Amino acid sequence: MTLIEIRGLTKGYPGVVANDDVSFDIDKGEIHALLGENGAGKSTLVKMIYGLVRPDIGTMTLDGESFAPTEPRASRVKGVAMVFQHFSLFEALSVAENIALGMENPPKTNALSNQIRDVSLKYGLELDPNRLVGDLSVGERQRVEIIRCLLQDPKLLIMDEPTSVLTPQEVDALFTTLRRLRDEGTSILYISHKLEEIKILCNRATILRHGKVIGICIPKNETAKSMAEMMVGSKLKTPQKTVTNFGLPLLIIKNLSLKSTDPFGTSLKNITFNIRAGEVMGVAGVAGNGQDELMLALSGEVLTEVNSIQLENNFIGQSGPVERRLHGLLTAPEERLGHAAAPDMNLSENTLLSGFQRQKLGRRGFINKSGAAAFAEKIIEKFDVRTTSVSSAAKSLSGGNLQKFVMGREILQNPKVFIVNQPTWGVDAAAAAFIRQSLLELASGGAGVLVISQDLDELMEISDTFTVISEGRLSEPSPIKGVTTEKIGLLMGGSKKI
Amino acid sequence: MIRLEPRTDPSQTMIILTPILAVLATMVVGGILFVTLGKNPFEAIRMIFWDPLFGEHAFYYRGQILVKAAPLIMIALGLSFGFRAGIWNIGAEGQFIMGAVMGGATGLALYPLDSFIVFPLMVVMGALGGFLWAMIPAFLKIRFNANEILVSLMLVYVAFNFLIGMVTGPLRNPDGFNFPESRSFQDFPAAHNPELWAGTGIHLGVLTTLGFVILAYIMITRHIFGFNVRLAGQAPRAAKFAGVSPNKMIAICLGLSGALAGMAGLFEVTGPAGKLTTTFPLGYGFTAIIVAFLGRLHPIGILLAGLLMAVTYVGGDIIQSQLSLPKASIQVFQGMLLFFLLAVDVLVNFRLRISKRISK
């Protein structure tokens, strides 16, 4: 039985067609995945179904009736609910109060609390309606959003990247809930780029590329690689590492502690680890557990106790970024525009950010402009950065291309130790594979590499050793072989007992 | 409803033409102002812009233009580095005064020593005076995150009262019949900054200013310091990543602008002004802010903007004496120039949309 029929939806924005003649169906009691790279048109499509955006052309039918919502309220009335990637909750209010705020005619708080308890029991979504949202974990907050949707008794539940903020255990719990909903006849439209999840959860998947439907597949019968290739439209190579034995420790971090100056930041507590030559170390963790602070402390943007950071024979805790680069410690922060690169400056100028001293792009403080341009050219060529010229502003590049530029700028400077935060965040599959490959090649050449990432699959693919950051503490690094997803999940949740 | 919508690709030609458009708009609206004051607008505009350069008495006025342009340009050059880095020194007037007082006092203390070392020492002490005065807002910003705009501006009034205290007290001319002014530097050759060629208006400060224009141009286009200044202004986090310490940047930019303002004050007090008096400050430190922006924070632009602003100063004197217009009218005129510059700037970068409310 078909629940919703989508026929020929087209939506254009100035300069780009976000959705081009998109047609597909979602059956009753089906978990249907929507797959596609960034910019493939998933968000626009979902917004049209939810009534946030109106299509230029095309029709939808829901339960056989014409369905053309003009606003989210209209689609909610018809039984379409959505859990957004970013929650809209008030931290100072209780769970029940938050849910009441989103309702047209909320019942009395007591009655509502009872309803919430019923729903949470029924679907295994453990949640106390009287707790303050501010005290809840990210996973629990997501439950608030889901229960808010379930109270409307939806026919179609749309979920946008629901697992990106969850630990593996929380993901399992969520899947159990979603399967129960499916079995009761609720349809779910599930948006994610985590292909392994889609394989185990979804009945069917619709794949979008450049705003068009490329195909519909049964995820169970596909591999993650084959689905990725459908999304990208070309063959993907799995990154491989040639060297597997490690040399001497290059970077030695001993009892690194750092009090966060930001009231919402995380303080680093007694972090200790070594990176050896040829080693790729992965640092997993849920966002906001001290990754940014660790990055700043290692790059030298924030100084620490002098002996806490040792690069070969130099203690560099009190050295700034320039000095650390000269010693061979290079970094690539998570935020590309505004941190790793200056948006309004051109690529040639952007090489100076980290390359001026180490690449000797000047003498006695005077900039060698042709030298900088030549270095930018080299990066563009070696790292396949798609841009018109070295004088393009950094902000004119797409996210993936700018990330390739940033990675190229650091890797081509032959770092002894390279530290990178979220190397492939928001980057399409082909570019991500390329970046991972270059990280492995860098390590094969004898450098130490530290990768901080929230993408577990990525870390599993490229790291040799593995550790988890939680509330500013780093777990004991262990070899990647033998590490199970369950163990990682417990560590990510901050548990010390396994 | 009127909305401003950012233009995706602002025209480069328009960005360069902005100052010229601003001058034209000022002429038109200024002309209307003169009409309402009962004067012939064409005559007034001619007197402001044409007579100082090519009029009957231009041979005298041209020198005056250089005399007035030099301090404006020197101060604006210093300010432009801070403005590019997002550090707003609004108190150059105070640093100008303190430079004149400290440098001038150094000379007066050595009176009547006839040594070649006196004047260079005064220049250094003048720059130091401005530098130290600018270090107050720098220190307060670094240590307590105090707003440098307010602190530097308030210190202008402190400096002014300090000047009054000095010329009525320790620095008062002992042979000056109790007038609130210092000894004249013209009577002290070793400390005097004379006109080098009669009638040209060129004194050592003018030549030094030209040198600074070239130096600033090299720094901003070729040197890593200029690059870091731009980086800190455009993307503060990227600047930190590149290893630029924000606190050092605050200290350097405020110190540099203070030193240049102080030096300008010293050249002014030993040359065109001739002595420290209570009427010594003419507002160069404030007008230099307009000059810096009118010149697009670029050294060559500042050179041209400083000359233009000096023309309006001299032209303002002419309409004051010949058309008996109030002094405030030329100040309004100069203010309009900055206003129109900023307004045209907004329109170059944003598009004006008049529309009904759009429902989302």
Side-chain angles (χ1 to χ4, degrees):
Chain A
M1 269 289 277
T2 307
L3 174 75
I4 186 165
E5 269 182 29
I6 291 163
R7 290 290 171 268
L9 282 194
T10 299
K11 177 73 192 175
Y13 290 108
V16 61
V17 181
N19 277 179
D20 187 0
D21 195 17
V22 170
S23 303
F24 69 98
D25 300 333
I26 302 171
D27 289 341
K28 283 187 180 161
E30 174 192 36
I31 303 182
H32 193 105
L34 196 54
L35 283 176
E37 294 196 281
N38 293 317
K42 289 172 299 184
S43 306
T44 307
L45 180 56
V46 166
K47 281 180 187 163
M48 287 192 288
I49 299 172
Y50 193 53
L52 278 166
V53 171
R54 299 183 72 176
D56 297 337
I57 320 173
T59 55
M60 292 184 276
T61 57
L62 186 75
D63 263 342
E65 282 173 43
S66 172
F67 176 61
T70 50
E71 52 174 353
R73 203 188 330 186
S75 65
R76 280 201 294 264
V77 170
K78 297 274 183 139
V80 177
M82 179 158 176
V83 177
F84 288 90
Q85 194 175 358
H86 302 285
F87 310 142
S88 45
L89 297 171
F90 294 95
E91 300 201 341
L93 298 182
S94 75
V95 170
E97 285 165 335
N98 263 289
I99 288 176
L101 273 177
M103 300 176 94
E104 300 284 320
N105 300 304
K108 288 237 162 63
T109 313
N110 267 345
L112 183 63
S113 295
N114 287 334
Q115 280 184 32
I116 293 170
R117 265 190 212 100
D118 291 346
V119 173
S120 67
L121 272 178
K122 188 172 166 196
Y123 294 104
L125 295 161
E126 210 178 298
L127 196 63
D128 178 356
N130 298 323
R131 276 180 72 192
L132 285 186
V133 166
D135 298 335
L136 302 182
S137 73
V138 184
E140 287 170 316
R141 287 178 200 209
Q142 188 183 51
R143 283 181 206 159
V144 180
E145 292 276 3
I146 295 174
I147 288 177
R148 179 189 269 178
C149 290
L150 294 184
L151 285 174
Q152 304 166 27
D153 233 345
K155 293 175 193 161
L156 175 67
L157 181 63
I158 305 172
M159 305 203 76
D160 188 5
E161 298 274 359
T163 58
S164 58
V165 291
L166 303 183
T167 64
Q169 277 81 357
E170 286 172 325
V171 170
D172 285 343
L174 174 69
F175 284 3
T176 313
T177 306
L178 293 184
R179 287 198 186 97
R180 190 168 307 165
L181 277 169
R182 176 194 62 194
D183 295 342
E184 288 179 3
T186 307
S187 307
I188 296 166
L189 182 59
Y190 188 88
I191 302 167
S192 176
H193 64 263
K194 297 191 177 171
L195 300 170
E196 294 293 348
E197 286 178 0
I198 284 170
K199 254 173 76 77
I200 58 169
L201 181 71
C202 299
N203 305 74
R204 287 192 301 164
T206 295
I207 296 163
L208 288 181
R209 193 198 309 156
H210 303 315
K212 289 189 180 138
V213 174
I214 291 304
I216 293 176
C217 67
I218 311 276
K220 230 185 329 190
N221 304 339
E222 301 283 336
T223 63
K225 199 172 162 218
S226 69
M227 285 192 284
E229 283 171 357
M230 275 192 269
M231 280 160 58
V232 182
S234 60
K235 290 271 170 213
L236 290 175
K237 246 182 20 207
T238 314
Q240 264 160 9
K241 197 169 166 208
T242 49
V243 181
T244 45
N245 50 335
F246 308 133
L248 292 170
L250 291 173
L251 184 71
I252 300 164
I253 309 294
K254 204 182 285 167
N255 296 327
L256 171 70
S257 291
L258 181 68
K259 206 152 174 55
S260 178
T261 47
D262 181 348
F264 299 104
T266 308
S267 297
L268 299 177
K269 293 153 200 133
N270 264 320
I271 287 183
T272 300
F273 66 93
N274 293 342
I275 301 177
R276 291 161 289 184
E279 177 178 6
V280 178
M281 181 181 283
V283 178
V286 178
N289 270 288
Q291 288 95 332
D292 295 341
E293 288 79 4
L294 179 63
M295 194 68 200
L296 292 176
L298 293 177
S299 73
E301 286 163 73
V302 176
L303 300 180
T304 56
E305 207 268 305
V306 63
N307 290 325
S308 58
I309 304 176
Q310 183 185 354
L311 182 68
E312 293 183 304
N313 296 322
N314 306 297
F315 291 97
I316 55 169
Q318 279 291 315
S319 311
V322 172
E323 220 175 313
R324 292 191 192 191
R325 282 190 190 111
L326 288 173
H327 282 306
L329 175 66
L330 270 58
T331 57
E334 170 182 5
E335 198 186 332
R336 296 178 279 260
L337 269 186
H339 196 182
D344 292 308
M345 289 191 171
N346 65 37
L347 296 181
S348 186
E349 289 174 306
N350 264 299
T351 61
L352 299 171
L353 260 61
S354 68
F356 181 72
Q357 287 87 1
R358 190 170 169 82
Q359 282 307 101
K360 300 196 173 57
L361 299 176
R363 235 177 47 167
R364 293 195 188 144
F366 287 94
I367 297 163
N368 173 359
K369 287 191 174 178
S370 55
F375 184 45
E377 287 283 3
K378 189 174 155 193
I379 298 167
I380 289 171
E381 192 206 315
K382 292 259 167 81
F383 276 74
D384 187 31
V385 181
R386 312 272 163 81
T387 174
T388 44
S389 78
V390 293
S391 34
S392 308
K395 68 175 176 195
S396 72
L397 270 66
S398 73
N401 272 313
L402 186 59
Q403 182 69 358
K404 283 198 275 186
F405 177 83
V406 169
M407 301 298 282
R409 180 181 71 193
E410 307 305 331
I411 290 174
L412 289 178
Q413 295 190 54
N414 293 323
K416 283 178 191 157
V417 175
F418 182 43
I419 294 160
V420 52
N421 192 2
Q422 299 275 48
T424 60
W425 181 78
V427 169
D428 64 47
F434 178 83
I435 287 171
R436 288 173 195 150
Q437 180 65 42
S438 356
L439 288 174
L440 293 182
E441 278 167 16
L442 183 67
S444 301
V449 178
L450 183 77
V451 180
I452 302 171
S453 177
Q454 281 157 57
D455 185 343
L456 272 184
D457 298 335
E458 168 170 270
L459 293 178
M460 295 299 233
E461 185 176 307
I462 61 174
S463 349
D464 300 305
T465 25
F466 187 88
T467 165
V468 171
I469 189 163
S470 172
E471 288 171 13
R473 287 189 185 83
L474 203 68
S475 72
E476 178 94 6
S478 57
I480 194 83
K481 284 186 191 114
V483 171
T484 59
T485 323
E486 286 69 40
K487 191 175 160 195
I488 296 169
L490 288 172
L491 289 169
M492 276 166 73
S495 150
K496 273 133 236 146
K497 51 184 193 295
I498 296 178
Chain B
M1 196 173 76
I2 301 172
R3 289 186 302 136
L4 284 176
E5 196 178 86
R7 291 178 198 265
T8 43
D9 198 13
S11 154
Q12 288 302 311
T13 340
M14 288 306 290
I15 290 176
I16 295 164
L17 281 179
T18 304
I20 297 166
L21 284 175
V23 171
L24 290 177
T26 308
M27 283 186 181
V28 173
V29 181
I32 295 170
L33 174 79
F34 294 131
V35 171
T36 59
L37 290 170
K39 308 292 172 190
N40 178 347
F42 297 101
E43 197 186 1
I45 300 286
R46 194 205 69 216
M47 282 183 180
I48 295 173
F49 287 102
W50 182 265
D51 284 4
L53 288 165
F54 307 108
E56 202 185 335
H57 301 286
F59 61 90
Y60 167 73
Y61 293 137
R62 282 180 204 151
Q64 282 303 300
I65 293 171
L66 287 184
V67 163
K68 293 196 175 353
L72 287 176
I73 296 169
M74 193 186 284
I75 301 169
L77 283 175
L79 292 177
S80 67
F81 281 91
F83 290 172
R84 273 179 189 262
I87 296 155
W88 307 101
N89 179 5
I90 305 299
E93 182 79 359
Q95 294 136 23
F96 178 84
I97 295 171
M98 293 310 275
V101 171
M102 193 156 152
T106 309
L108 293 170
L110 295 171
Y111 180 84
L113 178 69
D114 186 21
S115 163
F116 70 94
I117 199 74
V118 174
F119 192 70
L121 183 68
M122 288 169 73
V123 173
V124 170
M125 293 304 280
L128 186 66
F131 173 82
L132 290 176
W133 203 242
M135 276 300 115
I136 300 173
F139 171 77
L140 293 176
K141 184 170 176 70
I142 292 169
R143 187 71 184 73
F144 302 108
N145 199 22
N147 186 314
E148 78 277 18
I149 299 177
L150 293 175
V151 177
S152 65
L153 179 62
M154 290 304 149
L155 283 171
V156 172
Y157 305 103
V158 178
F160 183 58
N161 282 298
F162 182 71
L163 168 71
I164 293 173
M166 293 312 267
V167 294
T168 53
L171 295 183
R172 189 171 52 193
N173 184 356
D175 310 326
F177 312 105
N178 260 347
F179 276 105
E181 54 187 41
S182 75
R183 200 181 282 281
S184 168
F185 290 100
Q186 273 166 1
D187 306 335
F188 181 14
H192 188 214
N193 170 26
E195 201 175 8
L196 295 172
W197 296 280
T200 57
I202 297 174
H203 57 78
L204 270 176
V206 176
L207 297 180
T208 314
T209 301
L210 276 177
F212 280 142
V213 170
I214 297 166
L215 198 64
Y217 179 79
I218 294 172
M219 290 305 275
I220 208 77
T221 57
R222 306 250 164 242
H223 199 272
I224 194 73
F225 170 67
F227 176 80
N228 286 342
V229 164
R230 286 192 288 140
L231 188 60
Q234 290 180 12
R237 272 161 47 85
K240 271 189 169 180
F241 173 70
V244 181
S245 148
N247 288 344
K248 264 189 208 156
M249 202 44 110
I250 292 167
I252 291 174
C253 285
L254 277 168
L256 180 73
S257 52
L260 286 186
M263 196 186 284
L266 185 276
F267 282 122
E268 184 69 17
V269 76
T270 53
K275 55 190 164 195
L276 287 164
T277 63
T278 51
T279 55
F280 165 68
L282 293 172
Y284 286 142
F286 290 121
T287 312
I289 299 169
I290 306 181
V291 171
F293 280 106
L294 200 58
R296 314 252 95 195
L297 304 181
H298 188 282
I300 307 298
I302 288 171
L303 176 68
L304 298 174
L307 289 168
L308 174 73
M309 205 47 103
V311 167
T312 66
Y313 261 111
V314 175
D317 287 346
I318 299 176
I319 57 164
Q320 229 178 301
S321 63
Q322 299 199 3
L323 297 179
S324 37
L325 279 164
K327 190 172 183 214
S329 62
I330 192 67
Q331 287 171 343
V332 169
F333 199 78
Q334 289 172 342
M336 262 192 257
L337 200 52
L338 181 64
F339 172 79
F340 281 116
L341 180 81
L342 297 175
V344 175
D345 235 14
V346 168
L347 290 178
V348 168
N349 289 305
F350 294 86
R351 175 179 288 130
L352 209 57
R353 273 283 159 85
I354 300 166
S355 60
K356 289 176 195 160
R357 287 183 65 187
I358 294 170
S359 56
K360 280 209 165 173

